[in-house]
Amino acid sequence: MFAVLTWKADPIMGELFGLSLRWYSLFFAMGFVINYFVLKRHFKEEGVSLDVLDRYLLYSVIGTILGARIGNCVFYDWAYFSQHPLEIILPFRFEPEFQFVGFRGLASHGALLGLLIAYAILAKRTGQTIGWFLDKGATVAGLCLACIRMGNFMNGEIVGTPTDQPWGIIFPNVDMLPRHPVQLYGFILYLSLFFFMLWYRRRTFGKVKTGHLLGVFLIVLGLIRFSMEFIKRHYVLDPDSLLNMAQWLTLPLILGGLVLLVSTNSRSAPPIKE
């Protein structure tokens, strides 16, 4: 017999100068730091200046945070944030009292839009194409998503539906029902996606057109997100809706990925540098 785990982790690691240090923020930052070193090797392989990589990392962080934050507020809680617009871009709550809360609401669909805008600006300033930057992001984004899911687990948020499986976990901040630990499922799946994309890039380097890696990533990511929503406690468009908001937003990603996959499948290019 398995004993159901009750998850009571404190999402706050400690305090520094009066500000709360959160596990979520640590994992979020870890994803970007590790990816920097992964991409550093890729940039060297392709003979691209590391100055471009530094700017790429900066634009990626800004695009991810702003896009994910705005996307979450607009797609999932517009009724509240339409009345408190400053709280969309500021990490503070003004009512019922002033409080530092950080950016705890982030949506991956918004992050993709934010990155698209950020890379469009970066492309104009570096001479690279937006597709080239998107391919770089697609190669390593799985690790960032895995880190975010681990942060969600530490926060006890984004929980699954109730389950009688022996690996169900109770999240007391939600209720006392054993639930699917979808954060851990996501961590494993996104980490697998990360290693798959690294392998796939190596296998297809110089053989496909720009945008191909993005297409593969969008298809796999979309299928993971769409499937996972069936066992997540989620927002729905209405009580009788077959699909939830996240699933409707995911369908265009899968379709877009299929279009990219077909249109970028082959290319005459030099082989990978050893």
Side-chain angles (χ1 to χ4, degrees):
M1 294 292 293
F2 288 86
V4 175
L5 173 66
T6 299
W7 187 248
K8 297 181 179 180
D10 189 344
I12 299 177
M13 299 167 53
E15 291 193 358
L16 181 65
F17 303 118
L19 298 179
S20 297
L21 302 178
R22 296 179 173 272
W23 287 106
Y24 184 98
S25 300
L26 173 64
F27 285 114
F28 187 88
M30 281 176 57
F32 281 99
V33 171
I34 296 173
N35 279 343
Y36 175 85
F37 292 101
V38 174
L39 288 173
K40 186 175 181 179
R41 178 179 177 181
H42 294 174
F43 274 56
K44 287 182 176 180
E45 280 183 344
E46 299 182 33
V48 179
S49 170
L50 294 184
D51 176 64
V52 177
L53 174 58
D54 293 337
R55 298 168 70 180
Y56 175 74
L57 178 64
L58 176 63
Y59 277 68
S60 295
V61 172
I62 295 175
T64 297
I65 294 177
L66 288 182
R69 176 61 175 171
I70 294 173
N72 180 79
C73 296
V74 172
F75 295 141
Y76 298 108
D77 204 3
W78 182 240
Y80 174 83
F81 286 103
S82 62
Q83 303 301 314
H84 306 83
L86 286 179
E87 294 183 23
I88 296 178
I89 58 176
L90 297 177
F92 306 106
R93 178 174 296 159
F94 298 96
E95 296 178 359
E97 62 183 14
F98 182 81
Q99 181 183 9
F100 177 83
V101 294
F103 294 122
R104 284 183 277 179
L106 302 174
S108 58
H109 302 87
L112 288 173
L113 292 175
L115 287 172
L116 187 64
I117 295 172
Y119 294 161
I121 297 173
L122 184 60
K124 289 184 177 181
R125 296 182 176 180
T126 60
Q128 295 288 351
T129 66
I130 183 174
W132 187 85
F133 285 115
L134 287 170
D135 275 351
K136 293 294 172 290
T139 305
V140 297
L143 179 61
C144 286
L145 292 170
C147 289
I148 287 173
R149 283 295 173 257
M150 185 56 68
N152 294 144
F153 183 66
M154 296 302 295
N155 284 348
E157 61 189 4
I158 309 185
V159 299
T161 54
T163 179
D164 57 2
Q165 296 298 327
W167 56 81
I169 295 178
I170 294 174
F171 298 92
N173 59 315
V174 177
D175 54 33
M176 296 306 294
L177 297 175
R179 294 179 174 274
H180 283 288
V182 291
Q183 316 97 320
L184 298 183
Y185 299 167
F187 172 78
I188 294 171
L189 289 171
Y190 289 138
L191 192 61
S192 300
L193 173 58
F194 169 68
F195 287 114
F196 167 75
M197 290 303 300
L198 290 179
W199 169 81
Y200 192 80
R201 174 195 175 271
R202 189 75 181 176
R203 181 174 178 270
T204 61
F205 185 75
K207 301 177 183 178
V208 293
K209 298 177 183 177
T210 299
H212 185 82
L213 292 176
L214 176 63
V216 173
F217 173 76
L218 290 178
I219 293 171
V220 180
L221 172 65
L223 292 174
I224 291 174
R225 285 298 309 269
F226 190 89
S227 302
M228 289 281 288
E229 290 298 320
F230 287 112
I231 55 172
K232 281 175 62 178
R233 186 183 187 219
H234 54 65
Y235 300 96
V236 294
L237 298 175
D238 63 69
D240 299 318
S241 176
L242 177 63
L243 304 179
N244 66 25
M245 176 65 81
Q247 288 173 312
W248 284 112
L249 293 173
T250 297
L251 289 176
L253 300 184
I254 299 174
L255 293 176
L258 288 170
V259 171
L260 282 172
L261 186 65
V262 173
S263 62
T264 61
N265 193 43
S266 64
R267 169 190 178 182
S268 295
I272 187 171
K273 300 176 184 178
E274 295 293 346

